[in-house]
């Protein structure tokens, strides 16, 4: 079976029981967020939708069961999700590569739309988060994409239009890249001076050493929260950097550079958010 090409579907910022605060925070950064969703698994979310991918704020509301796989994660960028049209095929591929893959999971969340309630349905193939240090890595098969990617949700005041990069901190990038080689094959990984780069559709997943993260992000990077491997920063592509700069200039601690803007992790739920054209 040929390995699938990596294409990013979405990323997940865990906000735990602070979903209201997170909603207001990311709205203040210029993201348009979808109405609150409630998964049958025991989690709530808001999405910032782009043309082919999206950012998910995921938490729990305190009035029901808590989704088990998110309970153990600290606040921050913890979910890296790739697209698939066949969750079962991905399971077979991961199993054949001797990766720690979990059984395919099906779930849904009701959505009020045009005066009716419909179910947005998903099937996911997940790697065991207890055996993958960087966080939750999984594949999502959208069974109802028309209920997720809707034009009225894709216009953002800050001009955001796509996810550009996900930066992962790891002491051994080449070792961590073995996971992605097992999923996507050797040709999907590029070595750049020891850092490992995975092209995933319009986005990149970048595996950097802590020293390289410190050199690029300094105090704006995410806190490890006791972890040796974690997702440290999120890149967002905008239509116009000058327009984004005008909107974000009052953000506390904003790092304004000639070709990008960096919102410190300390003001964005332990996620450094980098805006570029």
């Amino acid at each position: 079976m040929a390995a699938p090409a990596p294409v990013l579907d979405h990323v997940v910022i865990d906000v735990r029981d602070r979903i209201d605060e997170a909603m207001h925070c990311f709205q203040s950064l210029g993201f348009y967020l979808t109405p609150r969703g409630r998964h049958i698994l025991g989690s709530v979310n808001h999405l910032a939708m782009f043309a082919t991918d999206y950012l998910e704020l995921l938490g729990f509301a305190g009035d029901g069961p808590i989704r088990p796989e998110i309970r153990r994660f600290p606040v921050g960028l913890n979910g890296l999700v790739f697209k698939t049209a066949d969750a079962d095929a991905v399971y077979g591929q991961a199993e054949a590569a001797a990766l720690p893959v979990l059984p395919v999971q099906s779930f849904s969340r009701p959505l009020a739309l045009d005066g009716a309630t419909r179910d947005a349905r998903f099937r996911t193939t997940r790697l065991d988060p207890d055996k993958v240090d960087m966080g939750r890595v999984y594949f999502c098969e959208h069974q109802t994409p028309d209920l997720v990617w809707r034009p009225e949700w894709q216009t953002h005041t800050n001009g955001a239009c796509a996810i550009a990069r996900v930066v992962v901190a790891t002491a051994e990038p080449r070792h961590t890249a073995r996971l992605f080689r097992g999923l996507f094959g050797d040709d999907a990984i590029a070595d750049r001076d020891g850092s490992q780069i995975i092209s995933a559709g319009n986005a990149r997943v970048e595996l950097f050493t802590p020293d390289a993260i410190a050199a690029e992000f300094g105090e704006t990077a995410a806190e490890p929260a006791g972890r040796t491997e974690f997702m440290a920063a999120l890149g967002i592509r905008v239509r116009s950097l000058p327009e984004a700069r005008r909107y974000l200039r009052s953000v506390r601690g904003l790092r304004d550079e000639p070709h990008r803007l960096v919102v410190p992790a300390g003001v964005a739920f332990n996620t450094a958010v980098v805006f570029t054209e």
Side-chain angles (χ1 to χ4, degrees), residues 5 15-16 22 35 37 59 61 71 93 119 122 146 167 247 256 263 269:
V15 302
R16 299 187 64 78
R71 186 194 297 268
Q93 176 80 25
D119 284 335
F122 315 88
D146 58 308
V167 182
Y247 188 85
D256 188 343
V263 173
F269 280 73

Side-chain angles (χ1 to χ4, degrees), residues 13 15 18-33 46 55 57 75 158 247-248 251-252 263-271 273 275:
I13 297 177
V15 302
R18 299 165 60 192
I19 190 69
D20 289 334
E21 182 186 345
M23 175 188 69
H24 293 304
C25 172
F26 280 83
Q27 285 175 332
S28 74
L29 293 177
F31 293 102
Y32 179 89
L33 299 179
H46 290 282
L55 163 63
L57 305 178
V75 166
N158 59 19
Y247 188 85
L248 296 166
V251 171
R252 177 169 53 88
V263 173
V267 299
F269 280 73
N270 200 32
T271 303
V273 185
F275 295 89

Side-chain angles (χ1 to χ4, degrees), residues 83 141 147 215 245 251:
K83 293 183 185 294
E141 175 189 336
L147 301 181
R245 180 176 286 113
V251 171

Side-chain angles (χ1 to χ4, degrees), residues 14 19 23 75 77 95 101 117 179 186-187 197 202 224 256 261 270 272 276:
D14 286 315
I19 190 69
M23 175 188 69
V75 166
L77 180 64
E95 189 176 45
V101 64
T117 299
L179 170 72
D186 291 342
D187 291 343
I197 311 296
N202 295 322
D256 188 343
L261 303 167
N270 200 32
T276 57

